[in-house]
Amino acid sequence: MKRKIMFMGRSGAGKTTLTQALYGEDIEYHKTQYVNYSEYIIDPPGEYIEDKQFGFALALYSYEVQVIGFVLAANEPFSLYSPASTATATREVIGIVTQINARDAHPELAAEWLRIAGCEKVFFVDSVTREGLDKLISYLGWDEDEKQPKNKKAKTAKAENK
């Protein structure tokens, strides 16, 4: 089953770039001004987690997904996530360390902060080089169609065209 995910993280953490990479789009920086809502990803602006008055919106959107992804760039000087903050979630929460190949990156430190927040599963990704994306895609079940035999895919496509 393909699971829907909502990314949470500060502005600049790499949520939108990660979304573009997961969908196989060209990486093009743009500041998220509103909640980007697509078939498998909800990508809210970083301000939603940076300003507590927007927190209710994150809570509401979380009901529409199966997984919440705490996104933290590997070159962050601190973590926005409080210890044990996943305990209040009503969905599975995973950690995603982005920008792992940045010159000033400390991916293990970022992962430790995510574990302290309560993320039991942590993924390391670089959206530009696509490093680590396959593991996240597999975890979310997005590669399920690729596991079907080719002739089954063809039969499904023919049935849909009728």
Side-chain angles (χ1 to χ4, degrees), residues 73-76 97 99-100 102-111 113 124:
N75 55 358
E76 287 291 335
V97 178
Q99 305 174 31
I100 59 173
R103 187 172 30 95
D104 56 347
H106 299 285
E108 286 303 326
L109 178 59
W113 287 337
F124 297 87

Side-chain angles (χ1 to χ4, degrees), residues 84-159:
S85 57
T86 64
T88 61
T90 60
R91 303 290 185 264
E92 175 187 10
V93 182
I94 62 171
I96 303 170
V97 178
T98 59
Q99 305 174 31
I100 59 173
N101 293 316
R103 187 172 30 95
D104 56 347
H106 299 285
E108 286 303 326
L109 178 59
E112 183 61 25
W113 287 337
L114 290 168
R115 288 184 190 102
I116 290 169
C119 299
E120 294 180 15
K121 186 83 172 157
V122 177
F123 294 89
F124 297 87
V125 301
D126 185 309
S127 298
V128 175
T129 66
R130 299 195 54 80
E131 182 180 343
L133 290 182
D134 289 341
K135 289 180 182 178
L136 181 57
I137 287 168
S138 180
Y139 187 77
L140 294 171
W142 295 3
D143 58 354
E144 287 181 352
D145 292 340
E146 296 172 7
K147 293 179 183 175
Q148 290 182 3
K150 287 184 180 182
N151 61 354
K152 186 172 182 180
K153 278 186 181 178
K155 287 179 185 175
T156 303
K158 285 180 185 176

